[in-house]
Amino acid sequence: MTTIRIWDLPTRLFHWGLAISITGSVISVNMNEMDLHGQFGFAVCTLLIFRVLWGIVGSETSRFLQFAPWPGRVAAYLRGTWSGVGHNPLGALSVFALLGVACAMVGTGIFANDDVFFEGPWAGWIGSSGSARATGLHEIFEKMLYVLVALHLIAIFFYRAVRQKDLIKPMITGRGPGTEVEQPRMAHPLLALPVLGLAVFLAGLVFRYWIT
């Protein structure tokens, strides 16, 4: 079977980096290792900023406008008439949902305060009542994230077992089935370096009063 490059290296590193950072964040908070939880939160924030920027200037399959799940695309996929490489429309819905909830968790986490182990870097800016609401929302988004991750894993298993399509290997090697005609345009990997630098800088502005 002919294979083509589908995912660039920065996108793949982001994918696995986010998975590791979120896993570490969940484990650390359940162990009450809140300093470590904050470090993972900084990593998640950095990765999300990078992904937003890369979704604008990165490779064709990484750009949000390229795989956005517009209603027409979703309908075509459900009818079986959609064709393309990269995220299919339902997969795109999952991507946007996961990124959205992860952003919401970072956004509420920086204001959260449980009055025991944890105080977000901006918790003092909105007062104790506002911080308490942010903490409650953060916990709600955490549960939503669990559901989305579970659905994501179920979808991977379904595609592998039922449709005989491996979604994991392309996210490791960057290559998947396709033709040269379908070959997406790839951004130069070195472009990711200044984008990552900007992401670290912006995340640092958020966490600079807290992360040591």
Side-chain angles (χ1 to χ4, degrees):
M1 181 179 294
T2 303
T3 62
I4 58 174
R5 288 187 63 196
I6 296 177
W7 305 114
D8 57 39
L9 181 61
T11 298
R12 285 179 280 144
L13 291 177
F14 161 80
H15 179 275
W16 298 113
L18 186 65
I20 292 170
S21 298
I22 288 179
T23 300
S25 179
V26 171
I27 293 174
S28 60
V29 76
N30 282 288
M31 294 177 62
N32 289 326
E33 295 288 344
M34 301 313 294
D35 287 340
L36 184 59
H37 183 69
Q39 299 290 341
F40 278 117
F42 174 76
V44 172
C45 182
T46 300
L47 288 167
L48 290 173
I49 294 173
F50 170 82
R51 185 63 183 90
V52 170
L53 297 174
W54 197 247
I56 299 172
V57 302
S59 300
E60 189 174 3
T61 48
S62 301
R63 294 180 185 176
F64 295 131
L65 288 179
Q66 185 67 25
F67 67 86
W70 306 120
R73 293 179 181 176
V74 175
Y77 181 78
L78 294 176
R79 290 194 305 267
T81 58
W82 178 85
S83 62
V85 295
H87 295 300
N88 65 55
L90 290 186
L93 284 173
S94 175
V95 169
F96 278 97
L98 282 167
L99 292 179
V101 171
C103 286
M105 288 191 67
V106 171
T108 53
I110 61 177
F111 294 105
N113 181 5
D114 64 3
D115 294 321
V116 181
F117 299 108
F118 180 84
E119 180 176 310
W122 292 1
W125 294 12
I126 59 175
S128 59
S129 60
S131 183
R133 285 193 293 271
T135 303
L137 289 172
H138 189 73
E139 293 173 353
I140 292 173
F141 288 128
E142 180 183 7
K143 294 179 175 62
M144 291 174 62
L145 184 67
Y146 292 156
V147 173
L148 290 173
V149 169
L151 291 174
H152 184 66
L153 295 175
I154 290 170
I156 291 174
F157 176 78
F158 171 81
Y159 272 88
R160 185 68 182 89
V162 178
R163 296 197 172 184
Q164 303 298 309
K165 186 175 182 180
D166 189 348
L167 300 180
I168 297 178
K169 186 176 180 179
M171 194 53 71
I172 297 175
T173 66
R175 302 187 69 87
T179 65
E180 290 300 323
V181 175
E182 297 174 306
Q183 175 69 60
R185 293 187 296 273
M186 291 286 143
H188 197 289
L190 291 181
L191 177 62
L193 294 180
V195 174
L196 178 60
L198 179 58
V200 172
F201 172 75
L202 294 175
L205 291 180
V206 174
F207 284 84
R208 63 177 176 170
Y209 298 111
W210 189 54
I211 295 295
T212 59

